[in-house]
């Protein structure tokens, strides 16, 4: 591929310098502020009269492992459907998540676990950092293949801050319930990415349209990501919930919701497909909508029937979104959503938030008994009515959409800076722009003249 010497030199320096700068800054902040919490610190843990088996690690770490696999394997492989962008999908997922875990430990720590001038970390902070990384990767899906690694790191730098702020407002100030992140993770990540994509709109992206599709083996690899996400999603939603019945109920509701969204996906895909054939894009993505839609309400008394109904509706809406709404987003609203995050995370996330409003409004002492305090402590203490809690849940959704929209707009303006390296219109969705691809050095010959002109 032909680049001007000046542009090649800029590319060679931008990513290394930014990586070193970000790592150096986070390391200094870790040295100043981050300390082990009581259950991690050797001296503090042994002060108490308790068994090692009581340590939170043994209750939370299995869920953390599942969530960690979802972030690095599930999200990474779900995005390898692009025929020429497998390295970028998995590799940049790896890069973004690794940075987001460090940065979100600091940001979330300042908001949630800042004690005595220090951020106290343990296994729960690892889970929360993974959740933040998940939101960043959802946004990445909206602009997949159209941005460079430097742009992506700067996106993560901004998004993690806004994610932490939005999460603090919802969970600490408004005291809404959103254990599985229908609002804080999926809705926020999706609409941050969609607004970002709108600001970065490329009118000449048709030049790379031939690379935007999938091939047989790329769809097969993407299905690996789907299966990992589908299997571990009950752990994702239940990881931060209260131990005992709450965590058990969350996993169960998510489990049933996912099964229902899978059946509705297959049904709708065959119904709207040509000659009744299934579309692998629908199966890869819409089958997961059941996990998204119960993120807010899974720890509530949703009931198994409610979980099935919610999952079935989410799978149907997501499938129809891929078939009919995605083309409208691009042609009418000029939003180029590479992975269809609006269909998997955006619409099901909003639906999940509204489902949380409904279920919270129906909460009673009769339905929850003594368990009401662990799910809705303010209702149990008489400080809020069920209706008031429902209104707070609804307001939390609007706050999330506001943070996501404003943040995505600011992020788009940042990423449009001309000094930042990005792939030209004629060579988006192409690994060879940023990766050494063995045996394919001449693959980019087509379109190189257009690239030189744009450079």
């Amino acid at each position: 591929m032909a680049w001007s010497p000046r542009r090649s030199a800029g590319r060679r320096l931008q990513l290394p310098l930014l990586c070193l700068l970000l790592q150096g800054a986070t390391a200094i902040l870790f040295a100043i502020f981050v300390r082990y919490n009581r259950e991690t610190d050797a001296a503090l843990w042994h002060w108490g009269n308790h068994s090692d088996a009581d340590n939170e690690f043994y209750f939370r770490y299995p869920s953390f492992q599942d969530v960690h696999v979802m972030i690095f394997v599930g999200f990474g492989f779900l995005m390898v459907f692009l025929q020429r962008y497998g390295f970028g999908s998995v590799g940049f997922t790896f890069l973004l998540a690794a940075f987001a875990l460090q940065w979100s430990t600091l940001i979330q720590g300042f908001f949630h676990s800042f004690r005595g001038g220090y951020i106290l970390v343990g296994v729960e902070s690892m889970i929360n950092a993974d959740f933040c990384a998940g939101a960043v990767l959802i946004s990445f899906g909206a602009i997949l293949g159209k941005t460079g690694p430097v742009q992506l790191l700067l996106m993560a730098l901004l998004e993690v801050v806004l994610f932490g702020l939005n999460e603090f407002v919802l969970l600490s100030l408004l005291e809404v319930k959103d254990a599985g992140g229908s609002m804080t993770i999926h809705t926020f990540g999706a609409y941050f990415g969609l607004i970002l994509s709108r600001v970065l709109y490329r009118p000449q992206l048709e030049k790379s349209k031939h690379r935007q599709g999938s091939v047989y083996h790329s769809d097969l690899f993407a299905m690996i990501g789907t299966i990992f996400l589908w299997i571990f999603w009950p752990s994702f939603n239940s990881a931060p919930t209260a131990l005992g019945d709450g965590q058990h109920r969350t996993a169960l509701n998510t489990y049933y919701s996912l099964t229902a969204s899978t059946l509705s996906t297959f049904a709708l895909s065959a119904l709207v497909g040509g000659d009744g054939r299934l579309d692998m894009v629908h199966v890869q993505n819409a089958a997961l909508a059941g996990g998204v839609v119960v993120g807010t309400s899974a720890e509530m008394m949703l009931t198994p029937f409610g979980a099935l109904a919610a999952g079935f509706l989410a799978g149907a809406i997501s499938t129809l979104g891929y078939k009919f709404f995605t083309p409208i987003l691009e042609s009418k609203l000029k939003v180029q959503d590479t992975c269809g995050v609006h269909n998997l995370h955006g619409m099901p996330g909003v639906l999940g938030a509204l489902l949380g409003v409904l279920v919270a409004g129906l909460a009673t002492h009769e339905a929850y008994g003594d368990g009401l305090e662990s799910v809705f402590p303010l209702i149990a203490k008489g400080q809020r009515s069920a209706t008031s809690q429902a209104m707070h849940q609804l307001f939390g959704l609007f706050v999330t959409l506001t943070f996501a929209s404003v943040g995505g707009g600011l992020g788009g303006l940042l990423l449009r800076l001309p000094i930042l390296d990005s792939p030209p219109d004629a060579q988006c969705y192409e690994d060879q722009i940023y990766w050494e691809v063995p045996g394919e050095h001449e693959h980019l010959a087509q379109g190189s003249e257009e690239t030189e002109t744009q450079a």
Side-chain angles (χ1 to χ4, degrees):
M1 170 174 180
W3 295 96
S4 68
R6 185 174 180 181
R7 189 169 182 182
S8 297
R11 165 174 298 169
R12 181 182 295 273
L13 291 175
Q14 279 188 6
L15 182 60
L17 288 176
L18 184 59
C19 285
L20 293 173
L21 176 63
L22 293 176
Q23 184 59 78
T26 52
I28 292 170
L29 291 171
F30 263 64
I32 296 171
F33 293 109
V34 179
R35 299 292 185 272
Y36 297 129
N37 68 7
R38 179 182 174 278
E39 304 208 11
T40 314
D41 187 277
L44 295 176
W45 174 249
H46 289 283
W47 280 352
N49 182 22
H50 45 241
S51 165
D52 285 343
D54 294 330
N55 194 292
E56 189 180 34
F57 176 87
Y58 297 101
F59 299 101
R60 298 290 185 189
Y61 193 75
S63 295
F64 163 74
Q65 285 181 304
D66 294 350
V67 174
H68 216 46
V69 169
M70 289 179 69
I71 296 302
F72 286 92
V73 180
F75 277 103
F77 276 89
L78 182 64
M79 291 188 275
V80 301
F81 69 94
L82 292 172
Q83 57 184 296
R84 296 285 308 168
Y85 206 68
F87 285 11
S89 299
V90 176
F92 292 150
T93 293
F94 198 8
L95 173 66
L96 283 177
F99 169 63
L101 294 183
Q102 297 183 58
W103 186 225
S104 61
T105 296
L106 292 165
I107 298 301
Q108 290 176 310
F110 281 121
F111 283 124
H112 300 292
S113 59
F114 197 65
R115 307 284 186 274
Y118 296 111
I119 295 169
L120 304 181
V121 297
V123 67
E124 193 167 351
S125 61
M126 294 162 63
I127 294 171
N128 290 331
D130 269 355
F131 282 172
C132 181
V136 172
L137 295 179
I138 291 168
S139 300
F140 172 43
I143 57 174
L144 183 71
K146 301 175 291 185
T147 46
V150 171
Q151 291 175 300
L152 293 172
L153 283 171
L154 291 176
M155 176 196 77
L157 183 69
L158 173 64
E159 185 171 3
V160 167
V161 175
L162 293 173
F163 175 92
L165 182 58
N166 180 65
E167 184 184 56
F168 175 73
V169 172
L170 264 65
L171 304 186
S172 298
L173 300 184
L174 297 177
E175 296 192 57
V176 306
K177 306 300 291 186
D178 192 36
S182 290
M183 290 184 282
T184 55
I185 300 171
H186 301 289
T187 301
F188 178 84
Y191 290 101
F192 184 100
L194 290 168
I195 298 298
L196 186 69
S197 179
R198 175 62 184 88
V199 177
L200 297 177
Y201 176 70
R202 291 171 175 259
Q204 302 299 317
L205 196 59
E206 281 291 328
K207 296 177 180 179
S208 291
K209 204 70 174 179
H210 60 288
R211 295 191 194 90
Q212 197 172 357
S214 61
V215 291
Y216 189 86
H217 70 268
S218 68
D219 268 336
L220 193 59
F221 273 108
M223 198 63 198
I224 294 173
T226 298
I227 296 299
F228 269 98
L229 290 168
W230 199 95
I231 290 172
F232 290 130
W233 214 297
S235 294
F236 186 92
N237 283 351
S238 64
T241 56
L243 300 178
D245 66 285
Q247 198 166 56
H248 194 166
R249 185 170 55 252
T250 304
L252 200 67
N253 285 332
T254 307
Y255 173 87
Y256 288 126
S257 183
L258 284 164
T259 60
S261 66
T262 301
L263 264 68
S264 66
T265 296
F266 274 82
L268 267 294
S269 183
L271 188 64
V272 301
D275 300 324
R277 290 179 296 180
L278 298 166
D279 189 331
M280 187 56 94
V281 172
H282 302 161
V283 176
Q284 288 164 1
N285 295 278
L288 300 171
V292 177
V293 76
V294 294
T296 296
S297 59
E299 68 173 322
M300 305 175 191
M301 292 291 285
L302 178 61
T303 75
F305 169 76
L308 287 174
F312 191 90
L313 180 60
I317 289 174
S318 182
T319 304
L320 295 174
Y322 276 100
K323 179 67 177 180
F324 300 110
F325 198 48
T326 295
I328 294 174
L329 271 180
E330 182 165 355
S331 61
K332 304 296 184 185
L333 302 179
K334 302 189 186 306
V335 176
Q336 295 159 328
D337 182 7
T338 306
C339 291
V341 300
H342 186 250
N343 308 308
L344 172 54
H345 301 280
M347 291 190 294
V350 171
L351 181 62
L354 296 176
L355 179 62
V357 172
L358 174 63
V359 181
L362 296 174
T364 63
H365 286 274
E366 290 74 20
Y368 288 82
D370 292 338
L372 184 63
E373 187 167 0
S374 65
V375 182
F376 296 112
L378 296 181
I379 297 178
K381 296 173 184 176
Q383 297 175 11
R384 267 186 199 170
S385 66
T387 302
S388 176
Q389 181 66 41
M391 290 300 99
H392 279 79
Q393 297 283 145
L394 183 61
F395 186 59
L397 173 60
F398 287 114
V399 170
T400 297
L401 290 171
T402 300
F403 271 113
S405 300
V406 173
L410 293 175
L413 294 176
L414 174 63
L415 268 56
R416 284 175 65 95
L417 291 175
I419 192 175
L420 299 179
D421 180 52
S422 64
D425 291 334
Q427 287 165 349
C428 291
Y429 318 117
E430 173 56 61
D431 269 336
Q432 279 197 347
I433 300 289
Y434 297 105
W435 299 86
E436 289 284 351
V437 181
E440 298 195 16
H441 292 289
E442 63 282 342
H443 186 84
L444 285 182
Q446 179 184 5
S448 62
E449 294 181 3
E450 296 173 89
T451 303
E452 291 176 19
T453 301
Q454 292 179 25

